Amino acid sequence: MRSHVDNVHIQQRCCAILANLACDEAAVSEVADENIVHHLLVTMSKHLKNLEFQEHSCIVLARLALHDRIVHTLLGDPATDIIMRAMQIHCNSSVLYENASVCITLLCKGKPDAFSNYMPSIFALIASNIVSTHNQEPLCVMMASLASDAYIRAENSMVEGVKAVITMMENCPTIANVQKMGCMALRNMSMSENTLGSQTLLENVLQIIFVAMKSHEENAHVQAEGCGAVWSISCYSRNGLDYINRSIRSIITAVQVHQDAQVEEQACGALWSLCVLDHRNKFLIRSMGGIEAIVCAMYICPDSLDFLENVCGLLSTLTENVECANALYSQGIIDVMLETMRNHANVASIQQYCCLAIRNMAAGSNELALALNCSINLIVHAMQKHATAPQVQEEACGALWSLAANANINKGTIVSADGINVISAAMDGNCGEEAACAFAELANFNLS
């Protein structure tokens, strides 16, 4: 290769051999040589218009960039400039874009300075609209991967990254994978509070997510990533609450259409966050058929712990509203919630959120307090099982207090279930007001 730098045919064949070696796990370490990399970059710059050579070169660089010493060499050479020029010239090559995107990701991951130096050229390339639609996907994958790095997504230049992702999603409205990876990228980018500080940018981001979810309603992957993006934005953004609330209908539709644990997990996480942010959203969820969809999802996905944690958290918030609690009761939530507690007795978070939901439901209605008598043994069992988990102890004591205060028959059931002893133990563990109030309520019962 060194002796025939100007002979493109020889270079092309040699590069094809290097590409094959680089894809061989046993041989790649032999190819990972700084001198080979430097020569390859020099040759790439000489033969930029030769597509086959550029494709093979990008394959080699993508494989070699997995080695730290090669990354150091590539960052010292004008590698990204050469790769960018190849991407500009060969904007229709899937092979080149897939491998160039991987290479740039590996060069920038964990290196905010490299990201700030190299990514503006990528953003400009995307904005130029010369990249073919089928090559937007690897660029979205690259942005999603880079934005998963907390240090990189905190960079000021990430705002331009958001705009670039929106552009790609707008350019490829019918390509589901672009919409999926675009939503994933936006979700990761929004985890920095500074990224969506502009009201206009926030609204543009939410609008492109809504469009993606509506256009690909049948695609579970797009729905899961769209719901996840809204969830992340609601957690980290301090602007545009009313606009964020518009996502509720799309999220509920995703739950109704897909019997998919990943969709249900992300959707319930988003709805939970939206309810915490704005109590008005509980009414919206109920009025849009969300209650029925949530209960149905619990029957469909009884073994997905991530989903169950989110949906139980959502229930603990929805039940603060009496109308929502009654609607959940009419849909059979008590049976499915208690079954969840029974089947996942070892999961502290599920026990905690279910106890809080029981507390809320019993506090809002004597009828519900009576109906929840069957939950008492499970609550006591949760306290015994998670004796060292203060959140479980607190919410369980609150549930027993609420059940005892709103239906006298529950007091006898609590006493029979060894409730006095577990509440006393919680008081000794500094559980707080809930344990003291529950104990006082039951002490009056014993005296009578």
Side-chain angles (χ1 to χ4, degrees):
M1 291 181 75
R2 293 190 184 94
S3 302
H4 303 280
V5 174
D6 294 325
N7 189 318
V8 68
H9 300 295
I10 292 177
Q11 297 299 321
Q12 189 171 300
R13 290 178 183 177
C14 290
C15 194
I17 294 171
L18 286 176
N20 288 330
L21 291 172
C23 292
D24 185 335
E25 294 293 339
V28 67
S29 60
E30 299 298 324
V31 184
D33 178 271
E34 291 89 338
N35 292 325
I36 290 178
V37 171
H38 178 72
H39 179 74
L40 184 61
L41 292 171
V42 170
T43 312
M44 283 181 72
S45 65
K46 280 184 170 291
H47 303 289
L48 277 169
K49 293 185 178 180
N50 188 290
L51 173 60
E52 188 174 344
F53 178 74
Q54 296 300 318
E55 287 179 340
H56 285 139
S57 297
C58 286
I59 292 172
V60 175
L61 292 176
R63 293 290 297 168
L64 298 188
L66 292 167
H67 297 258
D68 289 340
R69 69 179 186 276
I70 299 301
V71 169
H72 180 74
T73 301
L74 290 171
L75 290 174
D77 274 310
T80 52
D81 292 339
I82 295 170
I83 294 171
M84 277 300 307
R85 288 164 64 190
M87 293 174 77
Q88 290 168 346
I89 294 171
H90 305 289
C91 51
N92 290 316
S93 170
S94 298
V95 173
L96 190 146
Y97 265 74
E98 287 170 7
N99 288 282
S101 297
V102 169
C103 183
I104 293 172
T105 300
L106 293 171
L107 292 180
C108 295
K109 197 75 177 279
K111 304 174 186 67
D113 290 342
F115 178 86
S116 294
N117 289 335
Y118 301 139
M119 292 310 293
S121 298
I122 292 288
F123 301 154
L125 175 65
I126 294 169
S128 69
N129 287 324
I130 64 172
V131 181
S132 61
T133 54
H134 62 270
N135 283 334
Q136 313 260 336
E137 182 182 345
L139 294 176
C140 280
V141 172
M142 177 182 69
M143 293 306 303
S145 178
L146 289 173
S148 67
D149 186 311
Y151 294 105
I152 285 180
R153 64 172 172 259
E155 288 291 302
N156 292 331
S157 55
M158 189 54 80
V159 172
E160 296 305 314
V162 171
K163 296 176 182 177
V165 171
I166 292 173
T167 296
M168 289 187 285
M169 293 177 73
E170 289 175 338
N171 289 343
C172 310
T174 62
I175 302 179
N177 280 343
V178 170
Q179 302 302 309
K180 176 188 76 173
M181 297 310 302
C183 286
M184 181 186 293
L186 294 174
R187 180 194 67 193
N188 293 343
M189 291 170 174
S190 69
M191 291 181 187
S192 171
E193 293 182 3
N194 297 327
T195 303
L196 298 182
S198 161
Q199 177 81 13
T200 301
L201 184 60
L202 172 65
E203 291 183 3
N204 289 341
V205 165
L206 288 167
Q207 182 60 31
I208 200 68
I209 293 169
F210 299 161
V211 170
M213 293 181 71
K214 185 173 180 59
S215 300
H216 298 274
E217 195 174 279
E218 77 295 341
N219 189 298
H221 300 295
V222 174
Q223 299 302 309
E225 294 302 336
C227 291
V230 173
W231 184 8
S232 178
I233 291 167
S234 68
C235 290
Y236 291 93
S237 178
R238 296 294 175 264
N239 298 313
L241 181 59
D242 288 338
Y243 206 88
I244 297 172
N245 291 346
R246 298 182 192 179
S247 64
I248 290 175
R249 185 175 297 280
S250 297
I251 296 170
I252 291 174
T253 299
V255 177
Q256 293 169 331
V257 171
H258 295 280
Q259 298 180 3
D260 180 274
Q262 183 72 9
V263 173
E264 317 293 17
E265 173 197 338
Q266 298 297 317
C268 287
L271 293 175
W272 182 13
S273 180
L274 290 168
C275 284
V276 171
L277 278 175
D278 189 342
H279 292 297
R280 295 174 299 175
N281 288 333
K282 297 170 188 175
F283 168 77
L284 293 177
I285 291 171
R286 181 170 63 87
S287 66
M288 293 178 182
I291 299 295
E292 296 86 342
I294 291 164
V295 175
C296 182
M298 293 185 72
Y299 279 108
I300 292 170
C301 305
D303 300 315
S304 172
L305 292 182
D306 290 332
F307 157 66
L308 290 172
E309 181 174 353
N310 286 348
V311 75
C312 290
L314 174 58
L315 292 175
S316 73
T317 304
L318 282 173
T319 50
E320 294 173 345
N321 179 280
V322 174
E323 288 79 11
C324 286
N326 288 330
L328 284 162
Y329 174 53
S330 68
Q331 291 297 317
I333 192 59
I334 291 178
D335 287 343
V336 69
M337 185 166 59
L338 299 189
E339 187 67 15
T340 299
M341 292 182 71
R342 192 175 296 111
N343 291 341
H344 303 285
N346 293 325
V347 185
S349 57
I350 289 176
Q351 302 301 310
Q352 172 193 341
Y353 295 134
C354 286
C355 285
L356 179 52
I358 291 168
R359 174 184 183 170
N360 293 338
M361 293 177 74
S365 164
N366 297 117
E367 179 186 356
L368 293 188
L370 284 169
L372 284 161
N373 178 273
C374 54
S375 70
I376 291 170
N377 283 319
L378 286 170
I379 296 170
V380 171
H381 180 67
M383 294 183 71
Q384 294 168 336
K385 188 83 173 176
H386 301 280
T388 59
Q391 295 90 347
V392 175
Q393 296 296 307
E394 181 177 345
E395 300 304 349
C397 285
L400 293 177
W401 172 25
S402 183
L403 288 164
N406 290 283
N408 281 327
I409 193 173
N410 290 340
K411 296 177 182 179
T413 307
I414 293 170
V415 172
S416 299
D418 200 30
I420 294 289
N421 286 332
V422 293
I423 294 170
S424 297
M427 290 176 69
D428 293 340
N430 299 316
C431 187
E433 178 187 0
E434 285 77 8
C437 291
F439 189 82
E441 193 73 44
L442 294 168
N444 291 335
F445 170 76
N446 280 336
L447 289 173
S448 62

